[in-house]
Amino acid sequence: MEEYIQFVKDQINFVPDFAIVIGSGLSTMLDKVKVIKRIPYREIPNYPISTVKGHKGELIFGILSGKNVLIFNGRVHFYEGYTMRQVTAGVRLAAGLGTKNIIITNAAGAVNKALKAGDIMLIEDHINFIFADNPLRGEKGTERFVDMINAYDRDFLKKAVEVASRKGIDIRKGIYCAVAGPNYETMAELRFMNRIGIDAVGMSTVPEVIVARFLKMRVLGISCITDSIFNEGDISHTKVLNIANQCGKRIAELIESFLKEV
Ligand code: HPA
């Protein structure tokens, strides 16, 4: 077992029903959580720490809508120079504690012209454009040949759509594409992505989903659309964070209601 899993097990006796990964600027969603324990990432041996503005770094164990949750307040990205194994440490930790379900959120740019900044998109499927590496590279045995058909749990998606419509939360559904980053896309890349049916692009989530499926977890993926090159022109990290803050509140409401019913 990885050292960081044993360390956390020694700190708290808690089996999360759901792990929740909080993306860039989305930590407003923490307001509703009844916190049981916080562990800063820096206290956990061999646990990666984010270098990105807008990303905090702590594990939060708590209760949300009657469910035991383990929240990752801040994640690390491949573009920060971390290995794929480090990027997916949180997912391995969650699974190591016995977690069977994971909700992964992120900030993403719109590729589909119908999407605009501030939209919430449930991830139906993904395309992996991080060609350089894979979080399962080096795993042994046939388990590494992970089935990625319906990687995003169909029942979770259905439930999230249902809950959103009942709560009057506007949502879209679509295909998320992961790039390595840290540069944003060229216009030619965006046009290409648009043509092949990608709806949104970002720099996270896909490695985590691959490892989550490897570890037999059920996945719900939610993107906050923070910018649309086609609609708004220029993009900056500050703009991304501002929009994510607004999105965060609605995503929080969606997750809160989702957890009540699932
Ligand atoms: N591209 C890649 N990642 C992103 C974007 C984008 O336009 N917006 C937020 N994360």
Side-chain angles (χ1 to χ4, degrees):
M1 193 186 305
E2 306 277 358
E3 192 182 359
Y4 57 80
I5 301 176
Q6 193 57 55
F7 176 87
V8 173
K9 273 192 167 169
D10 292 343
Q11 300 276 311
I12 185 168
N13 186 10
F14 184 94
V15 179
D17 300 308
F18 274 81
I20 305 173
V21 181
I22 295 191
S24 298
L26 292 168
S27 33
T28 46
M29 79 173 68
L30 287 169
D31 297 351
K32 296 281 176 60
V33 180
K34 193 170 150 263
V35 176
I36 293 171
K37 189 177 176 67
R38 294 172 188 266
I39 306 178
Y41 294 162
R42 70 184 132 74
E43 289 178 10
I44 308 172
N46 289 331
Y47 201 81
I49 297 166
S50 178
T51 61
V52 189
K53 193 167 169 245
H55 274 265
K56 305 224 166 52
E58 56 180 357
L59 298 181
I60 297 170
F61 293 89
I63 311 283
L64 181 60
S65 302
K67 298 282 195 300
N68 282 356
V69 292
L70 163 57
I71 298 179
F72 294 91
N73 191 18
R75 62 146 68 83
V76 299
H77 305 78
F78 189 55
Y79 66 72
E80 293 176 73
Y82 290 109
T83 63
M84 278 294 180
R85 218 173 162 88
Q86 288 174 306
V87 166
T88 55
V91 181
R92 293 174 198 272
L93 170 62
L97 299 176
T99 320
K100 301 269 194 290
N101 309 292
I102 188 162
I103 300 174
I104 306 182
T105 67
N106 62 52
V111 173
N112 181 334
K113 292 179 189 179
L115 290 171
K116 53 184 194 321
D119 281 350
I120 295 173
M121 185 188 91
L122 296 176
I123 304 176
E124 279 188 300
D125 208 344
H126 75 223
I127 291 179
N128 186 7
F129 275 1
I130 308 177
F131 301 122
D133 202 350
N134 185 289
L136 301 182
R137 196 174 113 89
E139 290 288 346
K140 306 284 186 292
T142 54
E143 296 282 299
R144 67 186 151 184
F145 302 113
V146 178
D147 184 350
M148 292 297 288
I149 305 294
N150 292 336
Y152 299 83
D153 191 273
R154 295 289 115 182
D155 293 333
F156 279 0
L157 265 170
K158 211 168 127 206
K159 180 57 78 185
V161 170
E162 241 175 71
V163 162
S165 111
R166 215 173 325 120
K167 286 264 158 190
I169 304 168
D170 223 1
I171 46 155
R172 307 274 173 271
K173 284 192 281 181
I175 310 297
Y176 175 89
C177 171
V179 293
N183 61 288
Y184 291 118
E185 296 66 43
T186 65
M187 195 46 81
E189 286 166 341
L190 285 168
R191 268 193 234 109
F192 169 66
M193 288 177 182
N194 181 277
R195 277 200 199 177
I196 64 169
I198 287 163
D199 296 296
V201 57
M203 302 171 193
S204 66
T205 302
V206 163
E208 289 136 296
V209 172
I210 291 170
V211 173
R213 293 308 297 148
F214 175 64
L215 298 171
K216 312 263 190 286
M217 297 170 95
R218 295 172 73 189
V219 178
L220 176 69
I222 308 173
S223 291
C224 159
I225 305 299
T226 52
D227 54 275
S228 165
I229 308 287
F230 295 121
N231 290 326
E232 285 123 37
D234 64 322
I235 170 178
S236 74
H237 188 59
T238 313
K239 203 157 134 185
V240 165
L241 291 185
N242 282 338
I243 299 284
N245 261 314
Q246 301 167 30
C247 257
K249 296 195 184 75
R250 279 173 289 130
I251 292 181
E253 200 188 333
L254 178 62
I255 291 178
E256 194 193 352
S257 309
F258 173 81
L259 287 180
K260 257 184 211 141
E261 300 192 21
V262 79

